Amino acid sequence: MGGRLTLALDAMGGDHAPSAVVRGANLALRRHPDTEFLFFGREGDLRPLIDRMRKLRGVSQIVHTESVVAADEKPSVALRSGRKSSMRLAIDAVRDGQANAVVSGGNTGALMAMAKFALRTLPGVDRPAISSFFPTLRGETVMLDLGANVVCDARNLVQFAVMGNCFCRSVLGIPDPTYALLNVGSEDMKGGETLQEAAAILRNLALPGSFVGFVEGDDIAKGTVDVVVTDGFTGNVALKTAEGTATLYSEFLQRTFRSSLLAGLGYLLARPAMHKLRKRVDPRRYNGAVFLGLNGIAVKSHGGTDALGFAHAIGVAVDLARHGFLDAMRKDLEGVADVLSNPQVQAAAV
């Protein structure tokens, strides 16, 4: 898909906004020179930042708004009172065809509520899901849901699998991904009724790639499959556990190298290898969670990330738009509509 892309950026969303947003867009422009930006936020804060960057200035417009969604604002309140906020207007730009995608580092719950209200869901999707990447021994693995839906039925999990499969093909470029349901064991008899029913349906779906059944928690880091499907409660716990474990080992490693003079000398010898390791597991490289199932592309950047992390979130949005992600997902969902409308599946969703 050629031509220029226009991205709507919530310039006031995130701990380090608007600086990280503007500098992130400038970094992303180097990799994606055919991209234009609509910055939504306070012009007095944005104009001086953008004017310092000649190339960015030439492909950017500022849409002034004084209203900003607070990080701790309840989604219901933001939905009612934030119609003129930087977040909502950026979403509306996608809805109205002014932008190909929206990227925000703001309040996750508010972003999901506003995006679902403004963009609506794709036909065949009951609930949007949050999806992102995990670094693994094999490369990268897509995982969803990461917190949007705490309680799910079999129908939801099947839809998540379809969306995750399409997301993996579009962003990671894997034409025939392997995908599985996260469970307490890999054996076919493990798990509750919901997982068993979802697995039975997925075994009969004609999706690209292969459904391999169930995987366990340690299979995520191993990269056993390309797509891991679970409910939002389990997915969010897995995500936070992985982040906490990474922080723990990083702290252990630093303490070890500081423990003695000999250990410090060892660090000097290992520094090139440690640099490669830090780069490989740098969370900024995997920044950019996607709200799958919406009738528009919405990417959530981590609120605490810096310019490099925000640039990677922009890169995810560009990849989705460039590869016709929404059209591919519509086609996939149409292909499984008959199975998902089965009376037994509907009864399980009650």
Side-chain angles (χ1 to χ4, degrees), residues 43-57:
E43 185 168 9
D45 296 333
L46 289 167
R47 181 64 66 189
L49 295 171
I50 295 175
D51 283 348
R52 296 191 197 116
M53 304 170 186
R54 182 179 57 83
K55 290 185 178 180
L56 181 65
R57 184 175 66 244

Side-chain angles (χ1 to χ4, degrees), residues 38-78:
L38 294 175
F39 289 92
F40 291 82
R42 299 188 182 104
E43 185 168 9
D45 296 333
L46 289 167
R47 181 64 66 189
L49 295 171
I50 295 175
D51 283 348
R52 296 191 197 116
M53 304 170 186
R54 182 179 57 83
K55 290 185 178 180
L56 181 65
R57 184 175 66 244
V59 295
S60 299
Q61 295 182 46
I62 298 174
V63 181
H64 175 72
T65 174
E66 288 290 340
S67 178
V68 176
V69 175
D72 58 351
E73 195 165 330
K74 291 184 178 180
S76 57
V77 175

Side-chain angles (χ1 to χ4, degrees), residues 165-166 169 174-179 205-211 332:
N165 184 302
C166 184
R169 299 190 332 258
I174 301 175
D176 296 300
T178 54
Y179 55 103
L205 288 186
L207 291 177
S210 305
F211 175 64
D332 286 354

Side-chain angles (χ1 to χ4, degrees), residues 134 141-147 152 157-158 160-161 178-188 190-196 198-199 202 211-242:
F134 270 74
T141 289
V142 172
M143 187 168 174
L144 72 165
D145 178 22
L146 297 179
C152 297
L157 294 177
V158 171
F160 295 169
T178 54
Y179 55 103
L181 294 165
L182 187 61
N183 202 345
V184 295
S186 59
E187 298 84 358
D188 287 345
K190 291 290 183 71
E193 182 179 341
T194 297
L195 284 171
Q196 289 293 329
L202 288 170
F211 175 64
V212 300
F214 300 130
V215 292
E216 299 181 72
D218 61 342
D219 286 307
I220 300 173
K222 291 177 183 177
T224 302
V225 292
D226 299 308
V227 182
V228 177
V229 181
T230 186
D231 61 83
F233 180 88
T234 307
N236 192 263
V237 170
L239 173 64
K240 300 301 183 183
T241 301

Side-chain angles (χ1 to χ4, degrees), residues 272-305:
M274 295 301 299
H275 177 72
K276 290 182 179 179
L277 174 62
R278 280 196 299 268
K279 186 176 180 180
R280 176 69 180 86
V281 299
D282 188 344
R284 297 175 299 178
R285 295 185 60 213
Y286 306 96
N287 186 43
V290 182
F291 293 167
L292 299 181
L294 295 174
N295 190 29
I297 298 172
V299 176
K300 172 65 174 70
S301 170
H302 194 292
T305 196

Side-chain angles (χ1 to χ4, degrees), residues 1-283:
M1 296 179 64
R4 300 187 70 84
L5 292 179
T6 300
L7 298 188
L9 306 182
D10 172 16
M12 311 310 292
D15 299 344
H16 307 293
S19 176
V21 175
V22 174
R23 290 187 294 112
N26 191 52
L27 288 174
L29 189 61
R30 299 174 188 175
R31 182 184 172 194
H32 308 286
D34 293 330
T35 305
E36 298 176 343
F37 301 101
L38 294 175
F39 289 92
F40 291 82
R42 299 188 182 104
E43 185 168 9
D45 296 333
L46 289 167
R47 181 64 66 189
L49 295 171
I50 295 175
D51 283 348
R52 296 191 197 116
M53 304 170 186
R54 182 179 57 83
K55 290 185 178 180
L56 181 65
R57 184 175 66 244
V59 295
S60 299
Q61 295 182 46
I62 298 174
V63 181
H64 175 72
T65 174
E66 288 290 340
S67 178
V68 176
V69 175
D72 58 351
E73 195 165 330
K74 291 184 178 180
S76 57
V77 175
L79 189 60
R80 291 194 304 269
S81 62
R83 291 189 293 271
K84 296 298 182 180
S85 66
S86 59
M87 180 184 290
R88 177 60 185 274
L89 292 179
I91 296 170
D92 287 350
V94 177
R95 180 199 63 191
D96 299 337
Q98 299 171 353
N100 300 94
V102 57
V103 184
S104 173
N107 183 317
T108 303
L111 184 64
M112 174 62 86
M114 288 182 173
K116 186 176 180 181
F117 179 82
L119 302 177
R120 306 297 181 183
T121 56
L122 289 168
V125 175
D126 296 329
R127 302 179 186 177
I130 301 176
S131 179
S132 191
F133 309 106
F134 270 74
T136 72
L137 293 176
R138 290 200 311 127
E140 295 176 340
T141 289
V142 172
M143 187 168 174
L144 72 165
D145 178 22
L146 297 179
N149 306 281
V150 174
V151 178
C152 297
D153 56 37
R155 181 185 179 92
N156 300 141
L157 294 177
V158 171
Q159 292 173 358
F160 295 169
V162 175
M163 295 189 294
N165 184 302
C166 184
F167 181 50
C168 183
R169 299 190 332 258
S170 296
V171 177
L172 296 185
I174 301 175
D176 296 300
T178 54
Y179 55 103
L181 294 165
L182 187 61
N183 202 345
V184 295
S186 59
E187 298 84 358
D188 287 345
M189 73 287 299
K190 291 290 183 71
E193 182 179 341
T194 297
L195 284 171
Q196 289 293 329
E197 183 175 356
I201 297 170
L202 288 170
R203 290 188 182 100
N204 293 299
L205 288 186
L207 291 177
S210 305
F211 175 64
V212 300
F214 300 130
V215 292
E216 299 181 72
D218 61 342
D219 286 307
I220 300 173
K222 291 177 183 177
T224 302
V225 292
D226 299 308
V227 182
V228 177
V229 181
T230 186
D231 61 83
F233 180 88
T234 307
N236 192 263
V237 170
L239 173 64
K240 300 301 183 183
T241 301
E243 291 177 347
T245 301
T247 301
L248 176 69
Y249 273 93
S250 177
E251 180 62 26
F252 280 172
L253 202 57
Q254 292 180 42
R255 291 183 184 181
T256 299
F257 282 128
R258 292 196 300 261
S259 63
S260 69
L261 178 60
L262 188 60
L265 292 174
Y267 171 74
L268 293 177
L269 294 174
R271 186 158 54 181
M274 295 301 299
H275 177 72
K276 290 182 179 179
L277 174 62
R278 280 196 299 268
K279 186 176 180 180
R280 176 69 180 86
V281 299
D282 188 344

